């Protein structure tokens, strides 16, 4: 699937070819801190199928629990977290929230569930509103 996306302020734009079956939710504590919420939803593209169209993201390197490093790419202007790459540079982990076609992408699995916040298991019973109330 061809996708396009970018940061909140529009300074960075990208395009990629992804497999929509490879969308996942990650509950690890790094993703919780990086997103400022309970989990991260992402998909992957092979490095050769990902292309920056505009802008230059800033990079932050983090060593994970496995000891391997992960490079996090974000907009230096608005701070939007866009994607990550591991040590091998083979795949780009794209943040689904930055993809324009995100409504077409449903998660297929959850990972690092041992770190999941207890309330994330079922939010269906919470009241729902079409806009902020």
């Amino acid at each position: 699937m061809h996708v396009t996306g970018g940061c909140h302020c529009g300074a960075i734009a990208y395009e990629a070819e992804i497999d929509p079956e490879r969308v996942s939710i990650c509950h690890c504590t790094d993703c919780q801190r990086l997103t400022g919420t309970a989990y991260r939803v992402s998909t992957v593209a092979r490095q050769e199928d990902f292309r920056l169209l505009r802008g230059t993201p800033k990079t932050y390197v983090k060593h994970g629990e496995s000891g391997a490093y992960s490079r996090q790419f974000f907009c230096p202007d608005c701070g939007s977290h866009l994607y990550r790459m591991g040590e091998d540079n083979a795949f780009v982990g794209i943040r689904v929230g930055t993809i324009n076609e995100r409504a077409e992408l449903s998660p297929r699995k959850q990972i690092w569930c041992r770190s999941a916040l207890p309330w994330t298991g079922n939010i269906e019973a919470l009241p729902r509103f079409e806009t902020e109330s």
Side-chain angles (χ1 to χ4, degrees):
M1 175 180 177
H2 183 77
V3 296
T4 59
C7 67
H8 189 257
C9 73
I12 298 177
Y14 63 81
E15 66 180 358
E17 294 295 327
I18 64 156
D19 178 353
E21 297 296 314
R22 295 194 64 193
V23 177
S24 63
I25 293 172
C26 182
H27 292 279
C28 80
T29 55
D30 282 344
C31 286
Q32 290 172 11
R33 289 200 184 267
L34 282 167
T35 63
T37 189
Y39 50 80
R40 168 190 48 84
V41 183
S42 64
T43 189
V44 295
R46 292 181 310 187
Q47 190 273 335
E48 60 267 21
D49 292 334
F50 179 86
R51 187 166 70 103
L52 279 174
L53 301 174
R54 178 176 59 248
T56 304
K58 189 166 180 158
T59 306
Y60 165 71
V61 177
K62 170 73 167 83
H63 284 83
E65 187 175 315
S66 69
Y69 74 79
S70 174
R71 290 178 296 144
Q72 308 291 327
F73 294 83
F74 60 96
C75 176
D77 295 330
C78 68
S80 297
H81 287 257
L82 300 160
Y83 58 95
R84 69 167 291 277
M85 293 179 78
E87 288 184 24
D88 63 4
N89 290 326
F91 292 96
V92 179
I94 305 169
R95 308 309 192 215
V96 167
T98 69
I99 296 174
N100 295 330
E101 300 81 9
R102 62 188 167 270
E104 300 171 41
L105 301 171
S106 297
R108 305 292 192 208
K109 68 178 180 179
Q110 299 181 64
I111 59 175
W112 288 95
C113 293
R114 72 180 187 201
S115 305
L117 298 178
W119 55 265
T120 60
N122 185 4
I123 61 170
E124 189 62 34
L126 294 174
R128 297 173 60 112
F129 304 94
E130 292 298 316
T131 61
E132 186 177 17
S133 66

